[in-house]
């Protein structure tokens, strides 16, 4: 497994008839970010890839 996202994050997985849903983002516990007028906040992106052939194929 390669992890490219560190810090205070939360990952949830849900399995249902339609498949599996993953949600990854900033964990709301102990998170606060104050923005001045006109400023914006952008969180890092996360990508997950699945292959039935396994790793490195």
């Amino acid at each position: 497994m390669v992890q490219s996202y560190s810090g205070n994050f939360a990952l949830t997985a849900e399995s249902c008839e339609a498949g599996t849903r993953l949600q990854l983002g900033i964990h709301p516990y102990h998170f606060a970010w104050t923005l001045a007028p006109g400023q914006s906040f952008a969180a890092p992106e996360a990508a997950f890839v699945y292959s039935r052939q396994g790793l490195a194929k």
Side-chain angles (χ1 to χ4, degrees), residues 8-44:
N8 187 24
F9 67 94
L11 171 67
T12 59
E14 178 182 339
S15 184
C16 63
E17 291 179 15
T20 302
R21 178 176 65 179
L22 298 174
Q23 292 179 307
L24 175 68
I26 296 172
H27 197 293
Y29 183 72
H30 281 263
F31 177 78
W33 198 276
T34 303
L35 297 174
Q39 286 186 320
S40 62
F41 175 81

